[in-house]
Amino acid sequence: MTIKIGILGYGNLGRGVESSIRQNPDMELVGVFTRRNPEDVKLITADAKAYHIDEAIKMKDEIDVMILCGGSATDLPVQTPEYAKFFNVVDSFDTHAGIPKHFDKVDASSQNSGKISIIAVGWDPGMFSLNRVYANSILTEGKDYTFWGKGVSQGHSDAIRRVAGVKDGKQYTIPVESALESVRQGNNPEFTTREKHLRECFVVADEGADKGKIENEIKNMPNYFADYDTVVHFITEEELKRDHSGIPHGGFVIRSGRTGINKENMQIIEYSLNLDSNPEFTASVLTAYARAAYRLNKEGQKGCKTVFDIPVSYLSQESNEELRRKYL
Amino acid sequence: MTIKIGILGYGNLGRGVESSIRQNPDMELVGVFTRRNPEDVKLITADAKAYHIDEAIKMKDEIDVMILCGGSATDLPVQTPEYAKFFNVVDSFDTHAGIPKHFDKVDASSQNSGKISIIAVGWDPGMFSLNRVYANSILTEGKDYTFWGKGVSQGHSDAIRRVAGVKDGKQYTIPVESALESVRQGNNPEFTTREKHLRECFVVADEGADKGKIENEIKNMPNYFADYDTVVHFITEEELKRDHSGIPHGGFVIRSGRTGINKENMQIIEYSLNLDSNPEFTASVLTAYARAAYRLNKEGQKGCKTVFDIPVSYLSQESNEELRRKYL
C-alpha cells in the first residue's frame, strides 16, 4: 500500500517533488496537474501521467495527498483553500505576513471536507520556523538570529535584469561571516541590515552598455540593494551559464540564551542548511509532510496544520519502535 | 493556573531544573525530593520545600509533573517506572542501548495510571535524536554524523582521577575541526575513532609523582584514551579550579544527502549546540517537555512518549496562533 501523490504545478518545485517521491519507496506519483497542455509536459516518472489542471478534482478518490507546487503570490492563496475541499493538501506558502489569513481559509475548507491540510512547509517558513520554536521553548530568555545564504535570491536577480543595459544576471545573498561569529560567541549583537548580509551580483551587460552606470544603478536601487554592501561582477553570458546556473541556498537560525540562577551561563543553539538546490530541498520537506498528512487523515484527523502541530515520527517511513532504537 | 512541578533528585541536574522553572512563568516549583536529610538541603526557590524522597507519593495530588533528575545507571531504571504509577513524569535516561526496555517498563506504568511519561529527554538523547529523525525524513538518502564537544566528559575525567599519582583532573572531548569541515563539504568521509575527536586532559599530580608515567598511563588507557590522540597538561590545583570548574558541552549533528533525478545536488543539514552548562541545558529541555506532559495528560492522553511523539507547539508557552504569527 503506497501513498498516492498528486503534484499540482510543474515548475522547479513540482519537478523537485517528483524527484523526491523516487527517493521515498512508500510513495507513488499518480499524476501531475498543469495549466499547460499536458501533451507538452514530459514527466520523468514512467508510470505517472500529466493531466490538465481541470481534471484534478475528478481524480480525488485516486490521490491520497495533493502537493501544491504553485507560487505564493497568486497561485496558493486561491488553490490551497480550493483543493483542500477535495484533497489532503500540502503547500509551501511563504508570504510570512499572509500566513494567519491563509491558515484560516484553508482550515475552513479542510474542516468541511474532513481532510488534512499542512501549509507553509519548506525551510523558511518550515524547518527554520520549527527550530525557532524549539529553541525559544528551551531557552526562554535569549535572542533569535536568522541569516540567509549563501544563496540565489530570485527577487534580486529579477531586479538586476530590469536595469537598462543588463542582458542577464544573478544575485547571491551572503551572510557576513564576522556577524555570524559574533552571534556564535554569545555577544548578543544588534545589527543593521548592512552588517548582516552582503549582496554579490553577476551581470551580463548588453554590448556597448555603460557598465559604470549599470553598477551604480544596481548599488543604489532602493529596497533591493541600497541598504547593503553590494559587489557587482561583469561576466560573459557563457560564464553565467557555466558558473551560475544552480539554485543554491541555505542559512542559519541561531538562538543564544542564558541559564543559571544568575544567568551566568551562555547557551547557543544553531541550525543551518547548505543547499545545492533550494527547490529540491523544499520539495523533500513537502514530501515528508505529505506522509504526515496521509497518516493524520487515516487517524481521522482533519483541518489545517503547520509544522508546529506535527510530531516528527509522522514524517518518517520508520516505525516508532525503529525510531527509538536507531535514533534516540 | 501554573503547572506544579516536583523535582526528584537534587544534584547538578535538579538544581538546573529549579533554575529553569524560574525562567518559565507558567510553572511553579512545589518541592524537591531527596534521599538526603531535607533539613540539610538549601533550595534557591523561597516558597518551595525540600522533602525526603519517601514523602513524594503522598504528594501526588499536589504535583502536576515530577521531573526525575537521578542518574541513568541505577536511579532512573527503578525510579521512572515506579513514579510513573503516580505522576506524570519526565526523565533524561541516556543509556542509548537501554532505551527500548526502559520505554516498555515506563509505558506499562503510565498506561496503568493514566498518566503521561516522557523519557530520554535532553540533548543526546533528546534534541540531537530529534534532529536526526527530521534530517533522515527529509534527506532519505544520505549519511549521518555526530560530533561531541568541546565539552567535559565526566566518565573520562573520572578515569583520569583513578590513575595512581593523580590528585585531580578534567577531560575535554574536542571534535577534530578538519573532520567537521570534510563533512560540511559533503565529502561523505568514513572516520576512524581517532580522526573524529581529540581528548585533552588537565591533570593535577600528587607532589613528587612521576608525570611521565602518569601521561603514559592516561594515553594508553584502553577504551578511554588509547584509540584517540590525547593531549595531557599538568597544572596546579588552583589553575584547575580557576580555569576548569565549568561543565561546558555541546556538539554537532550533521546529515549530508543527495537529491535530484541523478542525485546531482548535495544538501547539508546541521544542528549544533555550544553550551556553557551541560546540566542546565538538559534541565531546560526537561522543563519544556514537562509542559508537554502536563498538556498531553490534560487532553486525556496516557502512556510513555519520547521527543519523536510530541509536536513542538506543546513545548511552548505561546498559543498556536501566536506561534504561527511570530515564528512561521
Side-chain angles (χ1 to χ4, degrees):
Chain A
M1 268 295 290
T2 54
I3 304 172
K4 292 178 177 52
I5 305 285
I7 295 173
L8 199 140
Y10 197 60
N12 283 332
L13 187 60
R15 281 193 297 274
V17 170
E18 180 179 19
S19 174
S20 173
I21 290 168
R22 296 156 63 99
Q23 297 187 294
N24 285 276
D26 61 339
M27 296 190 180
E28 180 190 337
L29 178 62
V30 173
V32 165
F33 301 88
T34 171
R35 276 184 292 238
R36 288 177 273 172
N37 181 350
E39 319 239 313
D40 298 341
V41 173
K42 260 246 164 323
L43 304 188
I44 315 147
T45 311
D47 41 0
K49 234 186 109 179
Y51 299 90
H52 190 267
I53 192 169
D54 293 344
E55 307 293 308
I57 291 169
K58 290 181 211 158
M59 291 179 67
K60 70 186 173 60
D61 297 328
E62 293 157 60
I63 289 170
D64 292 318
V65 185
M66 184 70 93
I67 302 182
L68 304 175
C69 297
S72 295
T74 56
D75 297 332
L76 298 176
V78 178
Q79 288 175 349
T80 315
E82 177 61 20
Y83 290 96
K85 295 177 188 163
F86 306 97
F87 296 96
N88 297 309
V89 296
V90 182
D91 83 15
S92 64
F93 184 78
D94 66 0
T95 312
H96 293 265
I99 285 172
K101 189 179 156 201
H102 189 60
F103 181 91
D104 290 340
K105 287 170 67 180
V106 176
D107 189 49
S109 294
S110 298
Q111 293 290 353
N112 225 339
S113 63
K115 301 280 186 179
I116 286 284
S117 45
I118 312 179
I119 62 160
V121 171
W123 58 274
D124 196 7
M127 297 309 295
F128 273 17
S129 324
L130 199 56
N131 275 280
R132 288 183 196 111
V133 178
Y134 275 113
N136 275 270
S137 302
I138 296 167
L139 300 176
T140 58
E141 299 180 50
K143 206 161 154 42
D144 289 308
Y145 295 89
T146 303
F147 292 85
W148 290 274
K150 181 180 176 174
V152 171
S153 162
Q154 216 49 64
H156 289 78
S157 299
D158 291 344
I160 291 173
R161 289 188 211 106
R162 286 192 297 263
V163 171
V166 170
K167 192 168 182 185
D168 205 349
K170 204 118 180 195
Q171 193 267 185
Y172 296 92
T173 306
I174 304 173
V176 174
E177 192 58 41
S178 60
L180 259 173
E181 273 317 307
S182 176
V183 170
R184 287 179 180 140
Q185 297 304 318
N187 298 335
N188 280 351
E190 299 282 346
F191 294 118
T192 62
T193 299
R194 190 178 302 273
E195 287 166 339
K196 278 186 77 183
H197 294 94
L198 295 174
R199 299 202 174 277
E200 189 173 24
C201 308
F202 293 87
V203 178
V204 181
D206 288 328
E207 219 179 294
D210 180 343
K211 291 182 181 173
K213 191 163 166 277
I214 291 173
E215 179 166 348
N216 197 52
E217 198 168 325
I218 291 173
K219 287 185 169 175
N220 293 299
M221 199 185 295
N223 303 319
Y224 287 91
F225 294 99
D227 298 334
Y228 297 86
D229 288 335
T230 301
V231 181
V232 177
H233 308 278
F234 288 95
I235 60 174
T236 67
E237 207 162 0
E238 293 67 41
E239 286 168 328
L240 188 77
K241 197 168 173 180
R242 186 190 68 205
D243 303 331
H244 303 282
S245 58
I247 319 175
H249 221 310
F252 304 80
V253 171
I254 307 176
R255 183 165 177 84
S256 62
R258 292 194 161 271
T259 63
I261 293 298
N262 301 308
K263 317 277 160 71
E264 62 273 32
N265 289 311
M266 177 60 73
Q267 317 273 27
I268 314 265
I269 304 173
E270 176 168 341
Y271 179 81
S272 68
L273 297 171
N274 182 358
L275 310 174
D276 274 359
S277 168
N278 180 357
E280 285 177 10
F281 188 81
T282 301
S284 299
V285 182
L286 283 168
T287 306
Y289 278 93
R291 180 178 294 115
Y294 172 78
R295 290 189 185 164
L296 288 165
N297 188 241
K298 281 276 173 217
E299 289 179 5
Q301 295 199 49
K302 61 182 179 175
C304 189
K305 310 273 181 193
T306 74
V307 294
F308 302 149
D309 306 311
I310 299 173
V312 72
S313 61
Y314 281 74
L315 310 186
S316 175
Q317 294 174 63
E318 301 182 71
S319 72
N320 288 356
E321 290 73 21
E322 280 178 304
L323 294 179
R324 286 194 295 269
R325 190 169 44 78
K326 289 172 60 178
Y327 301 100
L328 202 58
Chain B
M1 269 295 290
T2 55
I3 304 172
K4 293 177 178 49
I5 305 285
I7 295 174
L8 199 140
Y10 197 60
N12 283 333
L13 187 60
R15 281 193 297 275
V17 171
E18 180 180 19
S19 174
S20 173
I21 289 169
R22 296 156 63 99
Q23 296 187 295
N24 285 277
D26 61 339
M27 296 190 179
E28 179 190 339
L29 177 62
V30 173
V32 166
F33 301 88
T34 171
R35 277 184 291 237
R36 287 176 274 172
N37 180 350
E39 318 238 315
D40 299 340
V41 173
K42 259 244 163 328
L43 304 187
I44 316 147
T45 310
D47 41 0
K49 235 186 108 179
Y51 299 90
H52 191 268
I53 192 168
D54 292 346
E55 307 292 308
I57 291 170
K58 291 181 211 158
M59 292 180 66
K60 69 185 174 60
D61 296 329
E62 292 157 61
I63 288 170
D64 293 318
V65 186
M66 185 70 93
I67 303 182
L68 303 175
C69 297
S72 295
T74 56
D75 297 332
L76 298 176
V78 178
Q79 288 176 348
T80 315
E82 176 60 20
Y83 289 96
K85 294 177 188 163
F86 306 96
F87 296 96
N88 297 310
V89 296
V90 182
D91 83 14
S92 64
F93 185 78
D94 66 0
T95 312
H96 293 266
I99 285 173
K101 189 179 156 203
H102 189 60
F103 181 91
D104 290 340
K105 286 171 67 181
V106 176
D107 189 49
S109 294
S110 298
Q111 292 291 353
N112 227 338
S113 62
K115 301 280 186 180
I116 287 285
S117 46
I118 312 179
I119 62 159
V121 171
W123 59 274
D124 195 7
M127 297 309 296
F128 274 17
S129 325
L130 199 56
N131 275 279
R132 288 183 195 111
V133 178
Y134 275 113
N136 274 270
S137 303
I138 296 167
L139 299 176
T140 59
E141 299 180 50
K143 206 160 155 40
D144 288 308
Y145 295 89
T146 303
F147 292 85
W148 290 275
K150 180 182 177 173
V152 172
S153 162
Q154 215 50 61
H156 289 80
S157 299
D158 290 346
I160 293 174
R161 290 187 210 108
R162 287 192 297 264
V163 171
V166 170
K167 190 167 183 188
D168 205 350
K170 204 120 181 195
Q171 193 265 185
Y172 295 91
T173 306
I174 304 173
V176 174
E177 192 58 42
S178 60
L180 259 174
E181 273 316 306
S182 176
V183 171
R184 287 180 181 140
Q185 298 303 318
N187 298 335
N188 280 350
E190 299 283 346
F191 294 117
T192 63
T193 300
R194 191 178 301 275
E195 287 167 337
K196 277 185 78 183
H197 295 94
L198 296 174
R199 299 203 174 277
E200 189 173 24
C201 308
F202 293 87
V203 179
V204 181
D206 288 327
E207 221 179 294
D210 180 342
K211 292 184 180 172
K213 192 163 167 277
I214 291 173
E215 179 166 346
N216 197 52
E217 198 169 321
I218 291 174
K219 286 184 170 175
N220 292 300
M221 198 184 296
N223 303 319
Y224 286 92
F225 294 100
D227 298 334
Y228 297 86
D229 288 335
T230 302
V231 181
V232 178
H233 308 279
F234 288 94
I235 59 175
T236 66
E237 208 163 358
E238 292 66 42
E239 286 168 329
L240 188 77
K241 198 169 171 179
R242 187 190 67 205
D243 303 333
H244 304 284
S245 58
I247 319 175
H249 220 312
F252 304 81
V253 171
I254 306 176
R255 183 166 176 83
S256 62
R258 292 194 161 272
T259 64
I261 292 298
N262 301 308
K263 316 276 160 70
E264 62 274 32
N265 290 311
M266 177 59 73
Q267 318 272 26
I268 314 264
I269 304 173
E270 176 169 341
Y271 180 80
S272 68
L273 297 172
N274 182 358
L275 310 174
D276 273 359
S277 168
N278 181 355
E280 286 177 8
F281 188 80
T282 301
S284 299
V285 182
L286 284 168
T287 306
Y289 278 94
R291 180 178 293 117
Y294 172 78
R295 289 189 186 165
L296 288 165
N297 187 242
K298 280 275 172 219
E299 288 179 6
Q301 295 199 49
K302 61 182 179 174
C304 189
K305 310 274 180 189
T306 74
V307 294
F308 301 150
D309 306 311
I310 299 173
V312 71
S313 60
Y314 281 74
L315 310 186
S316 174
Q317 294 174 63
E318 302 182 71
S319 72
N320 289 356
E321 292 70 24
E322 280 177 304
L323 293 179
R324 287 195 294 270
R325 191 170 41 78
K326 288 171 61 178
Y327 300 101
L328 204 56

